[in-house]
């Protein structure tokens, strides 16, 4: 092996100018320094013991901070972190075990610690191991796939539809959210329409006829009896009263004496051809 040779400008310490022959020295930017001068001028202070890290010691650095090799330890359990994985928290260095015990999330499914460096899934404010975040039915990883939650269990969309989803009575397709129940059958809101004019009936008043829903207008036009007095349809919506007599019907407010217009609802009356009359007028 070839020994290091000093050039003429390295025979003396660059700072104190004392001879370096037969003494240890250190080079910095091609200048030679005795150990004492080098340590006083350039040695980094150790974060742990605050003493200089001499040139004959190993200097371990992390994010601009420096430690002696013997001082580079876990802040909680004091085990050495040299050549081992570690994590930083509030400027403290911790081994992965201590960091996990103090700060790591617990998996919502298995309740075990999610170790630093491992992939973590977040869903509805909870953390999961990637291997635990799976479809409850097929056990395949959900990752970032669309999913549906039922009774605190997660399902991929195909499995949820297979296990739980209702199928629309009209179009036969899966109802994934919302929907309307009519005659104990599920419907999409957009499929629940008037059998006459096809207007959506969700949230609207409607009338059933032969197991089909009709909006008020269509039912009145196609099926409602006509009032013998005003000739308008009688729908009986909202509990409205109507009077029926000899195959004729009247709105409650239209069932009046044809001569004096007094209401005949609940009263005795007489008929004369198509008219109804109170006893006095009759």
């Amino acid at each position: 092996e070839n020994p290091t040779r000093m050039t003429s400008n390295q025979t003396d310490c660059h700072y104190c100018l004392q001879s370096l022959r037969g003494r240890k020295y250190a080079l910095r930017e091609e200048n030679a320094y005795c150990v004492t001068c080098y340590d006083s001028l350039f040695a980094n202070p150790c974060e742990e013991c605050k003493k200089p890290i001499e040139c004959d010691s190993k200097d371990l650095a992390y994010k601009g901070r420096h430690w002696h090799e013997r001082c580079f330890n876990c802040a909680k359990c004091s085990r050495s972190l040299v050549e081992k994985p570690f994590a930083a928290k509030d400027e403290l260095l911790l081994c992965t075990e201590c960091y996990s015990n103090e700060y790591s999330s617990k998996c919502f499914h298995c309740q075990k610690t999610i170790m630093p460096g491992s992939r973590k899934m977040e869903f509805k404010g909870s953390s999961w191991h990637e291997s635990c975040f799976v479809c409850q039915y097929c056990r395949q990883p959900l990752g970032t796939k669309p999913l549906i939650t039922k009774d605190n269990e997660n399902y991929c969309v195909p499995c949820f539809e297979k296990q739980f989803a209702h199928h629309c009575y009209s179009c036969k397709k899966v109802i994934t959210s919302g929907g309307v129940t009519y005659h104990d059958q599920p419907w999409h809101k957009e499929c629940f329409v008037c059998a006459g004019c096809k207007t959506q009936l969700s949230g609207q008043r409607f009338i059933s006829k032969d197991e089909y829903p009709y909006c008020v207008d269509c039912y009145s036009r196609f099926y409602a009896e006509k009032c013998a007095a005003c000739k308008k349809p009688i729908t009986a919506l909202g509990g409205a009263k109507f009077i029926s007599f000899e195959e004729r019907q009247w709105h409650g407010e239209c069932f009046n004496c044809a001569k004096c217009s007094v209401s005949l609802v609940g009263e005795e009356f007489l008929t004369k051809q198509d008219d109804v009359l109170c006893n006095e007028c009759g």
Side-chain angles (χ1 to χ4, degrees), residues 227-281:
C227 175
C230 70
K231 310 305 180 185
K232 294 180 180 180
I234 300 174
T235 61
L237 284 174
K241 294 180 179 180
F242 70 97
I243 312 299
S244 179
F245 177 71
E246 292 184 350
E247 298 184 356
R248 289 187 294 165
Q249 286 78 33
W250 291 261
H251 292 111
E253 63 272 19
C254 295
F255 192 58
N256 304 321
C257 174
K259 185 172 181 64
C260 69
S261 300
V262 68
S263 175
L264 297 178
V265 177
E267 304 293 338
E268 294 182 354
F269 61 90
L270 301 172
T271 62
K272 182 179 181 182
Q273 298 178 347
D274 291 336
D275 293 331
V276 289
L277 303 167
C278 64
N279 281 337
E280 184 175 348
C281 292

Side-chain angles (χ1 to χ4, degrees), residues 23 31-32 39 44 58 63 83 100 147 151 170 254 268:
R23 300 170 61 191
N31 294 318
D39 289 343
N44 295 305
K58 184 177 286 188
K63 290 190 174 180
E83 296 183 358
S100 299
L147 61 92
D151 299 331
S170 176
C254 295
E268 294 182 354

Side-chain angles (χ1 to χ4, degrees), residues 147-180:
L147 61 92
I148 301 173
T149 300
K150 178 179 173 62
D151 299 331
N152 289 326
E153 300 289 356
N154 300 320
Y155 298 86
C156 64
V157 174
C159 286
F160 181 86
E161 292 179 352
K162 185 186 300 181
Q163 292 294 109
F164 305 109
H166 296 291
H167 290 76
C168 176
Y169 181 78
S170 176
C171 70
K172 310 306 180 185
K173 294 181 180 179
V174 169
I175 301 173
T176 57
S177 63
V180 176

